[in-house]
Amino acid sequence: DTATTEIYTSLFVGSVSVYKRQGVEKRYFTYQEALENSRADLVYVSTINSLHAPLASSALRRGFHVIVDKPACLTVQELLT
C-alpha cells in the first residue's frame, strides 16, 4: 500500500482540511525543509522544467527515490552534473 502523508507545495493549494481528508499529515513550506525532515521514501518532482534536474538531484543526494515529470533535464550537461 502507498499513501501521500507529506506534501511540499510552493502554492497555497486548498485548506488544511482538504489535506487532512486526503491523509496528508505534514505540509512543508520549503523544498529544503521537506528534504531535511521528511520520512518519505519517494519524492515526486512536478514543477517547471528548468527546476526538474536541481530538485531531483538534491533529493537523490539525500537518498530519496525520485520520480520526475518529463523532461528530467534540459541539456546533456545538466544530466551529467
Side-chain angles (χ1 to χ4, degrees), residues 13-42:
V13 181
S15 66
V16 172
S17 63
V18 172
Y19 291 123
K20 294 289 184 194
R21 279 197 309 268
Q22 297 299 320
V24 175
E25 300 166 2
K26 176 70 177 158
R27 179 173 178 218
Y28 298 105
F29 293 93
T30 69
Y31 191 68
Q32 192 66 31
E33 176 191 18
L35 291 182
E36 290 173 359
N37 298 296
S38 179
R39 296 174 294 123
D41 298 312
L42 175 90

